[in-house]
Amino acid sequence: MSSVPFHYVDLRTFCYATEDDKRVEDALRTFLPEDYPIERAQSEGHYGDRIIVLSARVENADDIRHVLTQVASAPDIEAVRAELDDRVDDNCSFFLTFDKQAAFGGDVERGDGITLRAKVEAYPAKREKAVANARELLEEL
């Protein structure tokens, strides 16, 4: 795989008041290269409870490749490939969610808790071209 047809990959998760922020950060790091910086933003829930938003934007091609290799290790990656038409929007963004608890254990499973949004390169910037580029890359991994 010589080039990566993604401009960037955003990963984001929330750490609620009932969760340990170090453990949630470890879950997010399952997808990231070693020692990759994670941004933290403090927020407040509807009832005044603490919410920490943990996020990382990966823009370097080698780091994007690392994240996508982790994504491709999901046991149901074939289903993701089959759903690409539904997972790429008109802005050429690819969306996928992962199980936060499984990620804490080092496993990559689809579920809820960690959101991945990747901007797919497409020239011209059309959804159909983005779907084709994403499909080609996921088949290579």
Side-chain angles (χ1 to χ4, degrees):
M1 174 177 23
S2 58
S3 67
V4 179
F6 287 84
H7 293 289
Y8 58 83
V9 175
D10 287 331
L11 289 160
R12 182 180 67 189
T13 190
F14 298 104
C15 177
Y16 299 100
T18 58
E19 296 175 312
D20 178 10
D21 60 325
K22 177 65 178 129
R23 291 171 62 116
V24 174
E25 182 178 327
D26 288 346
L28 189 60
R29 289 199 178 281
T30 297
F31 297 91
L32 296 169
E34 191 172 329
D35 297 326
Y36 201 84
I38 294 178
E39 294 181 25
R40 302 165 77 79
Q42 185 94 11
S43 188
E44 189 174 289
H46 181 71
Y47 296 104
D49 50 325
R50 169 194 65 94
I51 298 174
I52 299 173
V53 181
L54 302 172
S55 61
R57 174 168 279 196
V58 181
E59 296 177 309
N60 176 288
D62 289 336
D63 294 340
I64 291 173
R65 195 173 292 113
H66 176 87
V67 172
L68 295 176
T69 299
Q70 292 299 101
V71 168
S73 71
D76 59 350
I77 193 65
E78 291 300 322
V80 173
R81 289 184 191 118
E83 298 167 357
L84 274 174
D85 286 330
D86 297 327
R87 298 199 167 276
V88 177
D89 68 9
D90 290 337
N91 293 323
C92 301
S93 293
F94 168 65
F95 295 91
L96 199 54
T97 58
F98 296 97
D99 186 291
K100 186 170 28 174
Q101 186 65 41
F104 175 70
D107 298 322
V108 176
E109 295 178 14
R110 289 182 11 180
D112 294 325
I114 298 175
T115 303
L116 176 142
R117 175 183 174 264
K119 185 70 168 187
V120 183
E121 289 181 2
Y123 303 103
K126 301 285 184 196
R127 185 180 162 284
E128 295 76 23
K129 181 67 174 161
V131 168
N133 286 348
R135 179 169 284 119
E136 183 179 328
L137 176 69
L138 288 175
E139 287 173 357
E140 287 181 19
L141 295 175

